[in-house]
Amino acid sequence: MAQTQSTTRRTEKPIETADAVLLAMKTPGDALVSLNIEATADASYALDVHHDVDSRSAPTDGWFEDEAVYDAADVDDPQDIRDTFYAADAWLRVRVTTPAAAGETADVTIQEAH
């Protein structure tokens, strides 16, 4: 059976504030996920997850933070983050943990195959 693929993209999201959410999306669960962040400056990010399968909009609390961390000091190119993983969670979000300077932005794309 062929897999279904979906893409969620946000462009030119400000990365100048700690804890700014760049993208939050509901997932079908048990999905192969590709995360791409292309930024205009170095910053650090976290991938948070949530279990609420019944919510139609992104939950405001109860997130499990730092499911994955992309620390600018630990990645080869903190302006160009690429990761692929399996996700079984109902929601994913990408959050800035260490911000860049004022005016800097990032494009964030999450693709899923399930």
Side-chain angles (χ1 to χ4, degrees), residues 48-108:
D48 304 330
V49 298
H50 201 283
H51 64 280
D52 189 354
V53 296
D54 296 324
S55 178
R56 291 182 179 226
S57 58
T60 57
D61 59 7
W63 287 89
F64 295 101
E65 294 186 345
D66 303 333
E67 180 78 3
V69 174
Y70 307 95
D71 190 323
D74 296 333
V75 296
D76 292 337
D77 183 355
Q79 292 183 31
D80 190 17
I81 307 291
R82 308 252 186 252
D83 197 7
T84 303
F85 51 89
Y86 279 96
D89 305 287
W91 285 88
L92 299 175
R93 76 175 180 187
V94 178
R95 179 174 49 86
V96 176
T97 56
T98 303
E104 303 295 346
T105 63
D107 297 340
V108 181

Side-chain angles (χ1 to χ4, degrees), residues 9 19 25 37 43-44 84 94 97 102 106:
R9 181 171 171 81
D19 289 326
M25 64 177 291
I37 303 171
S44 298
T84 303
V94 178
T97 56

Side-chain angles (χ1 to χ4, degrees), residues 30-54:
D30 196 27
L32 177 61
V33 176
S34 173
L35 169 66
N36 296 284
I37 303 171
E38 296 175 331
T40 58
D42 294 359
S44 298
Y45 308 92
L47 181 72
D48 304 330
V49 298
H50 201 283
H51 64 280
D52 189 354
V53 296
D54 296 324

